[in-house]
Amino acid sequence: MSKRVAAVLVAGAMVTVLTACGSGGGGSAGKSSGGKLVVGFSQVGAESGWRTANTKSIQDAAKKAGIELKFSDAQQKQENQIKAIRSFIQQKVDVIAFSPVVESGWDTVLKEAKDAHIPVILTDRAVDSKDESLYASFLGSDFVEEGKKAGDWLVKEYASAGGDVNIVQLEGTTGSAPANDRKAGFADATKGDPKFKVVASQTGDFTRAKGKEVMQAFLKAQPKIDVLYAHNDDMALGAIQAIEEAGKKPGTDIKIVSVDGVKDAFTAMSQGKINYDVECNPLLGDQLMDLVKKVKAGEQVPRRIKTEEGTFTPEQAAAALPTRQY
Ligand code: GYE
């Protein structure tokens, strides 16, 4: 063996050792990185416009920050995310980031990451693990607050209405943080007045196709629907098709309040088809890469970083549309 080859092998072995024991902090770079930080990121899927924008934001931000991103799409399945996380652990990435499709059932795999000294950052969605040492930080929206904003709008909109206000609810993915929390926040904001009645509530899995299908079923089963509350814009957009096909006017015959604030929803709002949209910001990439660097360097980071977001009336949506990024 030549001296040069031997030196390279020794250096390689040292990098491996540094990576293996330095992951809780302390600056060593990942194995296959050539000096770059390596992040394993497990995304929920590609179920919505929000998600597409979120994925792009994360990929762009990683490039900009000079971070190698190992990206994995879980197609809305927890088992796929668990597999991806295990593979990131095997590959000895520097940091694992993921957006958990559902809230429960993560403790075992998170413990495996902890035992391998690989820090984990949650982004977008939360887990319900009691053990806070299983992840370093959670970056994302306050979904309860979003649900409250939707409910507050409804209470104002129907302040002077007599009689029942019949609401149908399209829920997000069952067991996911945004579905649980948006439902809870909305219920909380509307509970003060018994005229607000959720007459039907079912999951549309955050997709247009399911939103349409479930709305068709609601329209068949419910003699009087005043309001649709959709946990995201894609389901609202699917439901709009169902409402129009049933010969009704979305936004007029059935008022619609939704969450996300994506471009397609703003277009529908400017056509009078959605009445109110609560913003949920998917552009988390830069903040996430910043967190990754800090966590890897062993710096203290906040346990919880909340995204700032607003609300939109149709007029505000029409004004924002030309410059809306997602
Ligand atoms: O609202 C929805 C997406 O977790 C905040 O997931 C995210 C939600 C978003 O599918 O459109």
Side-chain angles (χ1 to χ4, degrees):
M1 194 187 308
S2 78
K3 261 192 188 160
R4 217 177 98 78
V5 171
V8 169
L9 285 178
V10 170
M14 277 173 69
V15 169
T16 312
V17 170
L18 277 173
T19 307
C21 58
S23 317
S28 63
K31 203 180 177 186
S32 58
S33 62
K36 274 187 175 181
L37 273 185
V38 181
V39 175
F41 177 64
S42 167
Q43 179 61 292
V44 167
E47 73 283 4
S48 66
W50 190 99
R51 188 65 54 196
T52 307
N54 180 248
T55 293
K56 183 171 183 319
S57 167
I58 289 168
Q59 288 173 334
D60 289 352
K63 239 183 236 152
K64 208 166 79 189
I67 288 172
E68 184 184 327
L69 191 72
K70 291 184 185 295
F71 183 88
S72 172
D73 176 338
Q75 299 179 329
Q76 296 241 66
K77 292 205 176 78
Q78 181 173 35
E79 64 203 78
N80 291 345
Q81 288 200 296
I82 291 175
K83 264 190 219 148
I85 293 170
R86 291 204 164 119
S87 133
F88 295 148
I89 295 172
Q90 255 176 10
Q91 294 172 66
K92 299 189 167 67
V93 299
D94 293 298
V95 177
I96 292 170
F98 81 116
S99 172
V101 59
V102 292
E103 285 190 280
S104 301
W106 298 102
D107 287 29
T108 305
V109 73
L110 290 179
K111 179 86 180 17
E112 288 166 22
K114 187 182 171 187
D115 290 345
H117 305 289
I118 300 177
V120 173
I121 299 172
L122 305 179
T123 177
D124 162 34
R125 297 185 184 177
V127 299
D128 64 4
S129 301
K130 297 280 169 295
D131 180 356
E132 289 219 332
S133 76
L134 294 178
Y135 59 94
S137 185
F138 167 39
L139 163 70
S141 309
D142 183 336
F143 300 133
V144 176
E145 194 52 40
E146 291 172 350
K148 271 194 189 138
K149 287 177 186 167
D152 286 345
W153 171 79
L154 198 71
V155 169
K156 271 203 200 123
E157 184 73 9
Y158 285 87
S160 55
D164 286 350
V165 179
N166 286 356
I167 304 161
V168 294
Q169 177 170 236
L170 280 171
E171 299 179 24
T173 301
T174 304
S176 71
N180 292 342
D181 294 354
R182 286 173 185 166
K183 186 175 182 175
F186 183 84
D188 196 40
T190 51
K191 70 170 184 240
D193 192 334
K195 77 180 171 201
F196 295 112
K197 294 206 158 57
V198 177
V199 292
S201 189
Q202 212 179 298
T203 183
D205 217 9
F206 281 131
T207 67
R208 271 184 211 209
K210 263 295 199 98
K212 180 175 179 184
E213 196 184 302
V214 176
M215 190 68 203
Q216 281 170 336
F218 285 165
L219 286 161
K220 277 198 194 120
Q222 298 298 327
K224 175 180 171 278
I225 300 173
D226 299 303
V227 175
L228 162 66
Y229 169 40
H231 287 185
N232 83 339
D233 285 342
D234 282 80
M235 292 190 294
L237 292 162
I240 285 172
Q241 288 177 22
I243 294 167
E244 287 176 334
E245 284 171 18
K248 292 193 162 129
K249 265 188 110 180
T252 309
D253 297 332
I254 297 176
K255 298 232 167 131
I256 301 179
V257 51
S258 174
V259 187
D260 273 355
V262 297
K263 244 189 200 165
D264 286 356
F266 280 12
T267 303
M269 281 179 100
S270 65
Q271 298 163 345
K273 296 179 181 180
I274 295 178
N275 306 80
Y276 196 68
D277 210 354
V278 176
E279 185 179 41
C280 180
N281 187 358
L283 307 180
L284 305 174
D286 287 332
Q287 274 175 295
L288 178 62
M289 295 312 143
D290 199 46
L291 262 179
V292 160
K293 285 183 184 166
K294 287 188 171 143
V295 165
K296 183 63 197 169
E299 285 177 36
Q300 275 291 331
V301 293
R303 296 253 352 129
R304 173 77 172 102
I305 302 172
K306 276 190 200 171
T307 322
E308 300 260 317
E309 38 216 9
T311 54
F312 290 86
T313 62
E315 296 71 33
Q316 289 165 332
L321 193 50
T323 53
R324 196 73 178 159
Q325 283 183 60
Y326 51 90

